[in-house]
Amino acid sequence: MSDLDHRLQKFGGPDFLNVEVALSRAELFRAECKRLILETEKACRRMQTDDSKYLDQRVRDIRFLKKELELKLEEIAPEIDALLALNSRVMKALEKNKEALRVTILCLDERRKQAPSDRLHDEVNAELLKEWDTFEEVASLLQNVQEQISEQIRLNRSAKYHLEQDLKEKFEAQGIDNSCALMTIRSINNLQMSKPNLTGLGSSAVTPKLWENISDLNIAKAEQQKRNSLSLQALVESVLGQMSADMQKQLEATTKAFQVNIQKLKSTKGQLEEKLPKILSEINSQQRIREDLREAITENEHFLTLAQSRLALRQQRPGKEQCHDTAQAQLLAEVQQLIAHISKLHEEVAQSEEEQRALARCQLELKENIDSKASSLYIDEVVCMQHREPIIIPNF
């Protein structure tokens, strides 16, 4: 050590040593700061790279689920339209059935105007009542089908709504994450952003698995409703076909019963009309036979008068000539026979009058039956068949 150093150490001692220590520490601190800066920059770049990677992965995940949701939305939307079209067909079927039922009831009401004798054991009435039951059963079944379709439409729309809402949220999330991925230090200088909550995402936050499950659940629900829709459509198509066939079958059975009854009424009416001239002819014959009977009575009375006159004149014979001879016996027997003949002829006149009264009653009943059959024929052939003619049961 030189004399100068000894003097500096002697006069400046501890202060000099402190400076050296301070300088050394400062140099070490600077070196540490540079190292920290390099490490921090490296960590930031690594984290930025990781952020971009995870954000890109997130965007890909969202796109994948969006595609799944869009495909399912494309599948469920046509099912709603198909069910709406099917519901329209059911409504038309209800209207057709309602009109057919109205005509059936109208025919029953019209046929109540027939004579009671024409309604007894009537096959037409039996078929009309069956037709009424069939159409009411069809109406009830169609109402039930319509309710099922309406409920399935509601479920499909609910599934569609949740898919759309999920897609909307996915679209917004994708936009946000895309923006985050593209965001740089320079790009955020002009943005007015609120400070994020660094403690967490709040009560609405979900785990990645739950996030995926929510969309999977919406897709599964939509798929289930799609399957339900297809099953319901197949069932309704089958039911509509069966109902149309049942209605058509019963309609044909009733129409056939009408046709058979119309032919029966025509035949019966024709037979009755054929008998009417015979009744009138027989009434005239009875009148003529009574005239003949009365003429025969008059003629027999003349013969009786002649025989009685002969007997009276013979009573004027002299006493010894009052002989009961053959001539007297013949005259007495003739009077008895003529009286018996005249009595019998009077009985026949009375019987003929009774026969004519019976024929007159028969004529009246025959006319009433003919009028009744004509009325029934008009109701069935004209009124009812005209009402039923426009009824067409299509394939619903």
Side-chain angles (χ1 to χ4, degrees):
M1 186 178 292
S2 66
D3 292 339
L4 179 60
D5 289 336
H6 285 295
R7 286 198 295 269
L8 287 172
Q9 185 177 6
K10 179 179 180 182
F11 294 104
D15 291 334
F16 178 80
L17 292 174
N18 288 339
V19 170
E20 288 294 330
V21 171
L23 288 172
S24 178
R25 284 169 55 190
E27 288 177 3
L28 290 172
F29 177 72
R30 277 190 297 103
E32 181 65 23
C33 286
K34 287 181 180 179
R35 186 189 62 78
L36 182 60
I37 288 170
L38 289 173
E39 288 182 359
T40 304
E41 183 180 359
K42 190 186 228 181
C44 286
R45 292 187 184 282
R46 186 178 66 252
M47 287 187 288
Q48 286 293 308
T49 300
D50 290 343
D51 288 345
S52 297
K53 182 179 71 173
Y54 292 136
L55 285 169
D56 287 341
Q57 182 59 47
R58 182 63 174 176
V59 168
R60 285 194 296 272
D61 291 343
I62 292 174
R63 283 176 180 167
F64 176 78
L65 280 179
K66 269 183 61 184
K67 186 64 177 177
E68 293 293 313
L69 290 166
E70 286 169 352
L71 288 173
K72 199 53 61 180
L73 187 60
E74 289 175 1
E75 291 176 2
I76 197 68
E79 294 305 320
I80 295 174
D81 295 337
L83 286 175
L84 287 171
L86 189 60
N87 193 53
S88 177
R89 287 170 57 194
V90 172
M91 291 290 291
K92 290 179 181 178
L94 270 170
E95 289 300 318
K96 288 284 186 182
N97 181 74
K98 182 179 179 181
E99 177 60 22
L101 180 58
R102 185 191 68 81
V103 171
T104 300
I105 295 172
L106 184 61
C107 288
L108 283 168
D109 289 338
E110 288 291 338
R111 297 191 91 248
R112 289 191 183 98
K113 300 173 184 177
Q114 292 178 333
S117 59
D118 289 337
R119 295 200 304 266
L120 293 176
H121 309 294
D122 192 343
E123 187 66 22
V124 177
N125 262 39
E127 291 298 336
L128 281 170
L129 290 173
K130 288 180 185 177
E131 192 172 88
W132 189 351
D133 289 340
T134 299
F135 291 170
E136 282 195 331
E137 287 176 6
V138 167
S140 176
L141 191 54
L142 285 172
Q143 288 284 359
N144 186 40
V145 165
Q146 188 183 22
E147 290 172 5
Q148 291 184 51
I149 293 174
S150 298
E151 176 61 15
Q152 189 59 53
I153 290 172
R154 185 191 69 79
L155 292 172
N156 286 4
R157 283 174 171 166
S158 174
K160 180 173 176 284
Y161 170 79
H162 285 96
L163 289 173
E164 289 172 340
Q165 287 298 110
D166 202 352
L167 271 172
K168 180 181 177 183
E169 292 172 359
K170 291 289 185 293
F171 181 79
E172 292 177 1
Q174 182 182 345
I176 291 171
D177 283 349
N178 269 327
S179 298
C180 289
L182 297 172
M183 191 179 292
T184 64
I185 293 174
R186 293 188 184 87
S187 67
I188 64 173
N189 289 333
N190 297 326
L191 293 177
Q192 298 295 326
M193 302 285 290
S194 60
K195 290 185 178 181
N197 178 11
L198 300 179
T199 61
L201 296 175
S203 60
S204 62
V206 295
T207 64
K209 186 62 178 175
L210 181 57
W211 170 82
E212 187 176 353
N213 287 344
I214 290 172
S215 294
D216 288 343
L217 183 61
N218 288 333
I219 291 170
K221 285 182 177 178
E223 178 62 27
Q224 181 62 49
Q225 297 312 323
K226 174 191 168 185
R227 287 197 297 268
N228 291 346
S229 296
L230 292 172
S231 297
L232 180 60
Q233 288 176 54
L235 175 63
V236 172
E237 290 288 354
S238 174
V239 168
L240 287 176
Q242 186 60 49
M243 283 190 292
S244 178
D246 290 345
M247 289 178 68
Q248 185 63 41
K249 181 180 178 181
Q250 184 55 53
L251 192 68
E252 289 174 358
T254 306
T255 300
K256 183 178 179 181
F258 264 110
Q259 292 170 345
V260 170
N261 195 58
I262 287 168
Q263 291 303 318
K264 185 178 177 181
L265 286 171
K266 285 182 177 179
S267 176
T268 303
K269 179 173 174 286
Q271 291 173 4
L272 293 173
E273 287 172 340
E274 288 177 2
K275 291 179 179 179
L276 188 59
K278 295 178 180 179
I279 293 291
L280 292 173
S281 175
E282 187 59 32
I283 288 173
N284 292 331
S285 296
Q286 289 295 327
Q287 290 175 343
R288 287 193 297 272
I289 198 65
R290 275 201 312 280
E291 292 173 1
D292 292 342
L293 287 170
R294 290 192 179 102
E295 289 178 2
I297 289 171
T298 301
E299 185 176 352
N300 276 266
E301 285 176 343
H302 290 160
F303 284 114
L304 177 60
T305 301
L306 176 60
Q308 288 174 339
S309 298
R310 284 173 175 173
L311 282 172
L313 183 60
R314 294 196 82 207
Q315 286 178 356
Q316 296 177 13
R317 290 178 299 171
K320 289 181 180 181
E321 296 298 323
Q322 295 284 334
C323 178
H324 192 74
D325 53 13
T326 303
Q328 185 71 14
Q330 176 61 31
L331 285 171
L332 288 172
E334 183 180 350
V335 167
Q336 293 298 323
Q337 288 180 7
L338 288 171
I339 290 173
H341 288 167
I342 292 170
S343 176
K344 181 62 176 176
L345 289 170
H346 276 296
E347 288 177 3
E348 294 301 320
V349 168
Q351 182 63 33
S352 175
E353 290 174 346
E354 182 60 33
E355 290 293 333
Q356 186 169 350
R357 284 193 293 271
L359 288 169
R361 288 193 299 271
C362 185
Q363 179 190 12
L364 182 60
E365 291 174 0
L366 201 56
K367 287 181 177 179
E368 288 176 351
N369 282 334
I370 291 171
D371 292 341
S372 172
K373 293 294 182 286
S375 175
S376 296
L377 189 59
Y378 177 79
I379 289 171
D380 280 1
E381 186 175 30
V382 179
V383 178
C384 290
M385 292 304 285
Q386 283 185 357
H387 283 312
R388 295 176 65 80
E389 186 176 355
I391 299 178
I392 298 175
I393 306 299
N395 292 323
F396 297 138

